[in-house]
Amino acid sequence: MKNLQSLAELIENLQQLPTIGKKSATRMALYLIKNKFNALKIANSIENAVTLISECKECGNLTENELCEICMSERENKICIIEHSKDIMIIEENQIYKGYYFVMPELENEKIEKLISLIKKKKIDELIFAYPHSIENEAKILYIEDRLKNLNIIFSQIAQGIPMGVNFENVDIISLNKAFSSRVILQK
């Protein structure tokens, strides 16, 4: 493919995408070359997304404005702390939560100060941790709780345990322990 340098470059660049290996990248590249109109539409969409989308100044969600739609709306006085903005899309799509969000993938003083400011501004009364279960995230939650303990808010965490349809043999000991310790009483 020495004389097809642009194809080789396209394949190489497509491989930079998550979960895309050489075979998939090659298939996509050949599709794009044969379907020029679709290729140009995709290129235009990528350019628009990269140019127009940024992080919300308050919560870190994706937005085309300074503040995201969620931060600009009236919601319940709760903030759900999540690891990635894609988690907001999933929760919002399923309409299972009606409060605000705050994206905090890593512990950074600047982010924690921004969170404190948001809690005060929105008069938040509950902080919900919605991190995936791990020892690192448990430590993160404890640290955030300690930093915010003087704000007079409730701290909660989404339920964790055994996913539906999974056998005990496929569950790690931490999740199994969490499932037993967080069990609920069934009504009689």
Side-chain angles (χ1 to χ4, degrees):
M1 283 208 290
K2 289 182 181 177
N3 59 348
L4 293 174
Q5 184 58 37
S6 57
L7 176 60
E9 184 179 322
L10 177 57
I11 292 169
E12 187 177 309
N13 286 328
L14 287 170
Q15 283 181 263
Q16 301 301 310
L17 296 170
T19 72
I20 304 297
K22 187 167 178 98
K23 285 182 183 180
S24 294
T26 302
R27 269 194 307 273
M28 284 192 265
L30 293 173
Y31 170 83
L32 293 170
I33 289 167
K34 291 178 183 174
N35 297 280
K36 292 181 183 348
F37 180 73
N38 281 345
L40 293 174
K41 273 182 24 183
I42 292 168
N44 188 50
S45 295
I46 291 171
E47 182 179 1
N48 285 340
V50 169
T51 304
L52 299 175
I53 297 174
S54 61
E55 288 186 356
C56 173
K57 300 289 186 226
E58 281 191 353
C59 74
N61 189 14
L62 298 178
T63 183
E64 290 185 0
N65 302 304
E66 188 171 322
L67 296 178
C68 72
E69 186 178 309
I70 294 169
C71 284
M72 291 191 297
S73 64
E74 286 294 318
R75 294 196 156 218
E76 293 178 1
N77 293 353
K78 301 171 183 350
I79 291 179
C80 180
I81 297 184
I82 49 139
E83 202 166 29
H84 305 286
S85 54
K86 69 178 179 179
D87 300 335
I88 296 173
M89 292 179 204
I90 294 166
I91 295 168
E92 285 293 302
E93 185 178 296
N94 291 290
Q95 301 176 355
I96 53 178
Y97 172 73
K98 305 272 188 261
Y100 297 99
Y101 298 91
F102 194 82
V103 180
M104 190 179 302
E106 300 295 328
L107 288 177
E108 300 169 0
N109 273 333
E110 182 183 330
K111 282 272 195 183
I112 293 174
E113 293 303 319
K114 195 181 275 193
L115 175 61
I116 291 169
S117 174
L118 187 61
I119 289 169
K120 291 176 180 176
K121 177 182 177 184
K122 302 276 188 191
K123 297 180 172 72
I124 298 301
D125 53 30
E126 183 180 1
L127 199 62
I128 304 166
F129 295 100
Y131 285 125
H133 187 62
S134 73
I135 293 171
E136 179 187 341
N137 284 336
E138 289 293 322
K140 204 184 293 186
I141 290 168
L142 289 172
Y143 180 79
I144 294 168
E145 275 185 275
D146 188 57
R147 286 283 306 269
L148 307 181
K149 66 185 173 195
N150 297 328
L151 292 179
N152 196 30
I153 57 176
I154 297 167
F155 298 99
S156 64
Q157 185 175 4
I158 61 170
Q160 298 174 351
I162 302 169
M164 189 178 291
V166 174
N167 296 320
F168 280 173
E169 63 201 32
N170 298 320
V171 177
D172 65 279
I173 192 70
I174 295 172
S175 296
L176 187 59
N177 187 17
K178 194 81 151 174
F180 272 95
S181 65
S182 300
R183 68 188 184 280
V184 294
I185 305 296
L186 300 176
Q187 293 186 355
K188 296 178 184 180

